[in-house]
Amino acid sequence: MSSPEVSRSGKPAVVAHRGASGEVAEHTLGAYELALEQGADGLECDIRLTADHQLVCIHDRTIERVSDGVGAVSEMTLAQLREHDFGSWHSGTPAQVLTLDELLTLTLDWHRPVRLFIETKHPVRYGSLVETQLLEKLHEYGVATPPSADHSRAVVISFSSAGVWRIRRSTPMLPTILLGDSARIIGGTAATAVGATGVGPSVQTLRTHPELVDRAAASGRVTYCWTVDDQEDVQLCADLGVRWVATNYPARVRDWLVTAY
């Protein structure tokens, strides 16, 4: 599995938020395959640890919203999670829970370079073990120590400044993004204190504080904006110079950017 440089252009790159989750059930193999087929530049996922310490792609602490089962992810083994359907609730197509192993394999084996944005969730039962297990997995796939941030196939993102710091301390060349829904957090000293290579405001925050993009650039950081599904917001991100836009609808956002440019 090679790690060529991911191409960069003057317009924002499109990240499929939990896959093409506006069309297919989030965090399923089908959602990510569709996003790749639609030409997404990056994929985004949330990870959690199961009771047997397997990394799975699930946003919520529990599985009620996205499956036909109930229970906390941290209290269930991977085998137990496999007993439930994680796809029919959205599009009627059954799907198993997706592991980070499966998503990494899909991403790195794709016929063109795609970047994977991996969000660690906090607070969680297992604390820092999430980052520890994630780094072990990235080392296993040969993407934990890229020659530079531009050449990295993986980016670790988190709302937890401690989580970002744990990654930066262990693998300083691996790019990281500190997420936040307030300008005070990501526009202040937090990103500097933990050494984040990027900041991740919500699109609502960016509408109110467009100066965040220039402030981030002035300190050598890129901007990753979430979750950008409306054409006006896509144009705003393009005008401001946002580097990455995370969206539930990668195909239509790519179309809008083609039209804008």
Side-chain angles (χ1 to χ4, degrees), residues 18 26 59-60 62-67 69 89:
R18 308 178 196 173
E26 67 184 60
H59 176 273
D60 299 0
T62 62
I63 66 172
E64 284 89 321
R65 181 178 65 84
V66 293
S67 81
W89 67 274

Side-chain angles (χ1 to χ4, degrees), residues 107-122:
T107 305
L108 297 175
D109 283 351
W110 195 245
H111 60 81
R112 57 181 170 81
V114 178
R115 191 166 295 180
L116 182 58
F117 292 77
I118 306 167
E119 181 180 341
T120 63
K121 309 300 292 184
H122 290 282

